Amino acid sequence: MEVCETELPGVLEFRPSPHRDDRGFFSRTYDDAVAARWGIVRSDFVQDSQSRSEHAVLRGLHGRGGAGEAKIVRCAHGAAFVAIVDARPESPTLGRHVTVRLDDVDMVSVYVPRRMLVGFQVVGDVADMCYSIDREHDGSEAVQVRYDDPQLGIEWPLPVEQLSARDENASSWADFVHALGIDTAHR
């Protein structure tokens, strides 16, 4: 398994080497020894979840207040365009984003450190997204920022066909940063 660093410090792509033959494939989707070399310990993750979304559905940008939550995200079926926004107040890359395609062909997983926002859009017919998180879910700490906020400049691959009310009414990036008490004028 190869590990690739991204432009956002701490966001890592785990790229497995699937074994394919005429029967199908076999792939390791997580390797504790590889992750440990990057400071990631699987036993730190306390919950696994899965979502299924249809073509062009967009979910996000979602995060968690308080201490945040680290997560490992992968696409078990289908394909999704994933955007990760740095929302760490102390980070020199605050407000920057990286994107990655997660699918059931390459089987890449992405590690997202605490205090980041994540969103995805389904680029195939359907996508099953799997998440491992390092804190129990607490809906009262949920935060969301508009997926189309011009300050973030994320270029989503498809027109959005379906969006939840929560995502439709998400705050702007400026309001989110202001709520964190960050003065971006002096950065």
Side-chain angles (χ1 to χ4, degrees), residues 1-4 12-16 28-42:
M1 183 171 289
E2 178 185 8
V3 180
C4 299
L12 304 170
E13 290 182 26
F14 289 86
R15 300 183 163 275
R28 179 172 296 127
T29 59
Y30 179 82
D31 188 310
D32 217 22
V34 173
R37 288 194 288 267
W38 293 88
I40 300 166
V41 179
R42 181 70 172 129

Side-chain angles (χ1 to χ4, degrees), residues 5-106:
E5 295 180 272
T6 69
E7 295 173 21
L8 293 182
V11 177
L12 304 170
E13 290 182 26
F14 289 86
R15 300 183 163 275
S17 300
H19 300 281
R20 302 177 197 281
D21 61 25
D22 58 350
R23 299 169 298 162
F25 72 86
F26 172 83
S27 183
R28 179 172 296 127
T29 59
Y30 179 82
D31 188 310
D32 217 22
V34 173
R37 288 194 288 267
W38 293 88
I40 300 166
V41 179
R42 181 70 172 129
S43 62
D44 289 347
F45 291 81
V46 298
Q47 288 184 343
D48 286 347
S49 301
Q50 181 170 335
S51 69
R52 175 169 291 161
S53 303
E54 304 295 323
H55 177 76
V57 165
L58 193 142
R59 294 182 187 252
L61 300 162
H62 299 157
R64 184 167 178 182
E69 68 186 10
K71 57 184 77 172
I72 298 172
V73 182
R74 70 183 184 92
C75 183
H77 176 74
F81 172 91
V82 179
I84 303 162
V85 177
D86 193 338
R88 298 172 290 190
E90 72 287 352
S91 176
T93 57
L94 175 71
R96 289 201 212 148
H97 70 274
V98 295
T99 61
V100 61
R101 178 185 167 98
L102 299 181
D103 60 39
D104 61 5
V105 175
D106 294 328

